[in-house]
Amino acid sequence: MASRYSEVYAAWKSDPHGFWAEAAAAIDWFESPRRIFEPERGTYGHWFPDGVTNTCHNCLDRHVEAGRGEQAAFIYDSPVTGRIEKISYAALLADVKATAAVYRKLGVGKGDRVIIYMPMVPQAVIAMLAAARIGAVHSVVFGGFAASELAVRIDDCQAKLVVSASCGLEPGRTVAYKPLLDQAIAIASHKPAHCLIFQRDMLAAEMVPGRDIDFAEVLAAAKAEGEEVPCTPVLSTDPLYVLYTSGTTGQPKGVVRDNGGHMVALKWSMEHFFGVRPGEVFWAASDIGWVVGHSYIVYGPLINGNTSILFEGKPVGTPDPGTYWRIIAEHGVAVMFTAPTALRAIRKENPGAAYVAPYDLSRFRALYLAGERADPDTIRWAEQALGVPVIDHWWQTETGWPVAGNPMGLGLLPVKYGSPAVPLPGYQVEVVDDGGNPVAAGTLGNVVIRLPLPPGCLPTLWNADQRFQAAYLEEYSGYYKTADAGYVDEDGYIFIMARTDDIINVAGHRLSTGAMEEVCASHPDVAECAVIGIADPLKGQTPAGFLVINSNVSRETSEIEREVIGLVRERIGPVAAFRTAICVRRLPKTRSGKILRSTIQKIADRQPWKMPATIDDPAILDEIAEALRAKGIGI
Ligand code: COA
Ligand code: AMP
């Protein structure tokens, strides 16, 4: 089939408001928007400013009313507990209504914030949708973050309620969430009034009387009472959620998502980008703590009337590298989404893909990859192993849905390995030099998106309009700065090569080296430090810290290195995968004092490097190369 991409992209470009007005007709509004875009409002304008709607209504009520009640909304497949459960749209709606009633009794109303700190269990999704139902704003915090990261988020959004669980299950260990939550609340200056705790069979959490409430008990009681909680009408521009993501400091950025634009964009993308029809099974193997989980485990598939897979497991080891293929076959997955790192993990354990053979993948149409650059080797391996298109696409927490990709729903374009293909309607992607001037096709530069951003993208940062302006809009006038470096080739294909800031991508997880440096520097024996991302064959990148120790310290450096590693795990969390710390005599710097991070990175990554002319102490780079060699890293 010839691709309709060019025609559809051109239609958007010639009439963007008409394009999004038509897309907006695919969702239910209590009051349809009369204005499609209002440029005077907000930092770059607001989409559908006078539309009134509710995201929970579009995810659940309207499908049940339309006869989809018996279809599974979710299939909870949990190889770590051995459970597989189908949850119909009608059953999910009943649980969400009851949970919304519980929220209300706890004094949570429209605009109040609810933090959700949970493993991949259905109660987490119920907690999200119940907040959406009453117009409360949820903020999901990934389980791999430490107590202090949770505390920062509780304080920033001033959460009235926290929903959590007694534990999560990581291969080989049970992660007790509740003590982490207790610790976070102890650290936070703002104290949430209540915590709803889902007690799991494998671990009972100790409850704080007066504050903590057993989620299952109150949910059952609310269901028995049969209280009806209607969907609260919200403005299209009211916030649905805040999702914190790594910024360039220890203070994460609270990405705000609205209700109307978000639904319109997700609905469009499910149909026209992923090419999934209502009723089909869609699986994003991510976590609800990340944007992928928000957009494509929960909201996108439900808005589109799909069955979504809620997977509590890992690509390998739960129990073997065939788990993904089992799930695709057993539940009839049509389209799947994962991170390249997961495929690399599978390939490492099963290079010949023998684990694919026992499964019938005949209903499987495409595999989408994002979260980090999809290396051509991994794509080719997956194409061969699975016999379906393997499609790289590029986006960010901030955008909420893909900026670029090969649109299956419009007909695939020719593939160029290493490129997430072309910009989607809504996005005009350009590449500029550091002065903001356009560069020629094929020239590496700063990837920017012309304003306004399309529906679904962040309107601002939570309580931080100024920071939003400064971080994204100020540097290149009239553009949104993606902080990615890349180029666009002669055919308009985008290539995303690296970040231009201190963000690194570890196993598809976005982390700030600046935040890690803050933690390393807080160790009493550390005078100065630098954290860089070094290439890793499995995780893409892993962090490594270089530490300069105070001159009066006579302890073993290996002891300090161990302590610093422990500190990053304790303050940021295991997800940082910070396992390399190296004490050095001093940091390599230019004579003006700038740390030569990229040179250290090149040495560690075994890339050719040149002695910078402006270096103040040339011997130090050889010492660093030697220290890396001693740890089995780099040249
Ligand atoms: N709760 C608590 N701890 C968690 C966690 C969670 N939800 N998720 C991860 N962790 C912990 C892990 O247990 C691990 O701890 P450890 O240091 O004690 O081993 C640490 O955080 C790092 O985890 P992870 O990044 O998962 O690395 P891994 O080596 O355990 O597994 C992969 C490697 C590639 C299999 C794994 O990273 C993976 O499945 N990646 C897919 C990425 C993905 O879906 N990204 C979402 C964006 S699309
Ligand atoms: P996150 O906000 O966690 O989704 O991370 C977004 C960042 O991940 C982007 O700015 C990119 O640096 C990187 N990224 C995501 N998808 C891709 C991709 N397909 N190709 C290259 N980089 C990607």
Side-chain angles (χ1 to χ4, degrees):
M1 178 181 83
S3 177
R4 291 197 300 120
Y5 166 75
S6 301
E7 178 197 320
V8 174
Y9 190 79
W12 160 72
K13 221 167 165 188
S14 68
D15 179 14
H17 297 178
F19 181 92
W20 290 117
E22 195 182 320
I27 68 159
D28 267 9
W29 300 88
F30 300 148
E31 288 172 38
S32 294
R34 286 179 308 270
R35 293 203 68 181
I36 298 305
F37 185 68
E38 202 164 56
E40 321 66 62
R41 285 198 26 198
T43 41
Y44 62 85
H46 278 173
W47 289 99
F48 315 114
D50 55 4
V52 178
T53 184
N54 181 284
T55 296
C56 181
H57 167 84
N58 275 281
C59 286
L60 300 178
D61 302 61
R62 82 152 172 170
H63 295 311
V64 174
E65 284 159 21
R68 212 176 271 290
E70 293 316 305
Q71 181 194 314
F74 281 99
I75 299 174
Y76 167 53
D77 191 308
S78 169
V80 290
T81 58
R83 289 171 72 166
I84 298 178
E85 270 169 43
K86 290 194 178 172
I87 305 157
S88 69
Y89 271 89
L92 184 60
L93 177 58
D95 279 346
V96 167
K97 278 183 179 169
T99 305
V102 171
Y103 284 3
R104 278 210 175 154
K105 282 200 182 123
L106 294 175
V108 177
K110 189 174 172 198
D112 290 333
R113 273 78 60 207
V114 177
I115 285 226
I116 299 170
Y117 183 58
M118 295 190 90
M120 288 287 287
V121 291
Q123 288 73 12
V125 175
I126 293 167
M128 292 167 80
L129 291 163
R133 188 168 192 85
I134 59 169
V137 180
H138 66 66
S139 186
V140 183
V141 179
F142 178 62
F145 281 122
S148 42
E149 288 288 324
L150 178 56
V152 168
R153 289 154 173 79
I154 291 174
D155 274 339
D156 193 73
C157 76
Q158 303 275 294
K160 201 165 196 177
L161 174 73
V162 179
V163 188
S164 189
S166 56
C167 66
L169 299 169
E170 282 296 294
R173 76 192 165 105
T174 301
V175 182
Y177 276 45
K178 185 57 183 10
L180 293 170
L181 171 60
D182 291 341
Q183 208 184 329
I185 294 177
I187 303 168
S189 333
H190 171 84
K191 310 291 177 195
H194 292 287
C195 298
L196 270 183
I197 306 297
F198 172 56
Q199 297 276 19
R200 302 191 78 182
D201 299 342
M202 9 5 226
L203 187 74
E206 256 182 57
M207 306 289 265
V208 175
R211 187 196 73 187
D212 297 348
I213 297 161
D214 186 304
F215 192 177
E217 272 176 22
V218 285
L219 181 65
K223 273 174 114 169
E225 281 166 28
E227 200 183 325
E228 280 293 304
V229 178
C231 290
T232 301
V234 296
L235 271 177
S236 173
T237 52
D238 281 338
L240 170 69
Y241 69 75
V242 179
L243 178 59
Y244 288 90
T245 188
S246 298
T248 48
T249 64
Q251 182 68 25
K253 292 170 172 165
V255 168
V256 174
R257 195 79 60 211
D258 70 8
N259 278 274
H262 178 234
M263 282 192 277
V264 171
L266 291 186
K267 172 72 181 149
W268 188 91
S269 70
M270 289 301 295
E271 209 175 321
H272 303 286
F273 178 64
F274 292 108
V276 200
R277 291 179 294 274
E280 291 191 310
V281 184
F282 184 85
W283 179 23
S286 178
D287 187 287
I288 49 144
W290 306 118
V291 70
V292 176
H294 283 64
S295 297
Y296 294 115
I297 294 175
V298 183
Y299 292 112
L302 293 186
I303 289 164
N304 201 41
N306 293 115
T307 296
S308 178
I309 308 275
L310 188 70
F311 172 62
E312 189 183 25
K314 298 271 172 177
V316 293
T318 59
D320 58 44
T323 302
Y324 276 15
W325 325 134
R326 176 202 42 94
I327 290 180
I328 292 173
E330 197 169 318
H331 305 309
V333 173
V335 172
M336 181 190 180
F337 179 145
T338 190
T341 188
L343 290 186
R344 289 196 297 269
I346 293 171
R347 182 186 179 184
K348 192 170 163 217
E349 289 204 3
N350 185 217
Y355 275 91
V356 179
Y359 300 109
D360 170 10
L361 304 187
S362 56
R363 286 176 289 178
F364 187 43
R365 287 202 301 273
L367 175 64
Y368 280 78
L369 299 179
E372 56 173 320
R373 183 165 185 268
D375 53 290
D377 233 27
T378 301
I379 296 191
R380 286 201 179 90
W381 176 83
E383 280 174 341
Q384 277 209 337
L386 303 171
V388 296
V390 178
I391 302 167
D392 182 13
H393 61 305
W394 164 63
W395 50 300
Q396 311 182 309
T397 305
E398 289 85 344
T399 66
W401 63 288
V403 180
N406 204 336
M408 183 100 166
L410 300 177
L412 285 178
L413 296 165
V415 173
K416 290 197 187 190
Y417 290 95
S419 164
V422 290
L424 297 188
Y427 296 100
Q428 185 167 331
V429 179
E430 295 175 29
V431 180
V432 295
D433 64 18
D434 288 346
N437 309 301
V439 299
T443 309
L444 194 68
N446 303 289
V447 182
V448 293
I449 303 170
R450 191 183 277 273
L451 294 174
L453 292 171
C457 294
L458 82 172
T460 189
L461 295 174
W462 183 254
N463 274 343
D465 287 346
Q466 221 22 60
R467 188 177 181 198
F468 175 64
Q469 284 277 4
Y472 301 102
L473 307 184
E474 258 165 27
E475 200 163 333
Y476 306 107
S477 174
Y479 292 97
Y480 163 86
K481 170 183 151 186
T482 67
D484 277 321
Y487 60 93
V488 176
D489 76 4
E490 302 279 353
D491 301 322
Y493 278 57
I494 297 168
F495 291 75
I496 301 296
M497 308 310 288
R499 289 286 299 197
T500 58
D501 55 11
D502 72 349
I503 301 287
I504 57 170
N505 205 312
V506 182
H509 308 316
R510 170 170 162 177
L511 297 161
S512 157
T513 55
M516 291 186 222
E517 285 180 2
E518 282 177 28
V519 177
C520 296
S522 73
H523 187 286
D525 294 340
V526 173
E528 212 185 359
C529 65
V531 175
I532 57 157
I534 57 181
D536 181 89
L538 173 65
K539 298 193 174 191
Q541 282 182 300
T542 49
F546 296 85
L547 318 171
V548 179
I549 302 305
N550 286 319
S551 51
N552 58 351
V553 175
S554 54
R555 300 164 61 209
E556 282 291 320
T557 52
S558 58
E559 204 176 310
I560 299 171
E561 288 168 2
R562 262 199 312 280
E563 286 169 8
V564 167
I565 289 171
L567 211 55
V568 175
R569 189 177 173 95
E570 185 192 313
R571 300 260 183 88
I572 295 182
V575 67
F578 184 84
R579 298 201 178 101
T580 306
I582 302 175
C583 290
V584 293
R585 182 171 53 82
R586 55 183 301 191
L587 295 174
K589 289 185 186 171
T590 61
R591 277 181 223 113
S592 60
K594 199 166 169 284
I595 299 172
L596 291 159
R597 288 186 171 78
S598 64
T599 313
I600 311 178
Q601 188 174 354
K602 285 198 180 103
I603 295 173
D605 290 352
R606 299 164 198 242
Q607 283 174 8
W609 61 280
K610 276 207 311 264
M611 185 66 73
T614 55
I615 192 164
D616 62 347
D617 176 3
I620 192 63
L621 283 178
D622 292 326
E623 287 176 36
I624 286 181
E626 182 50 43
L628 285 164
R629 208 174 0 247
K631 298 238 179 209
I633 304 165
I635 52 171

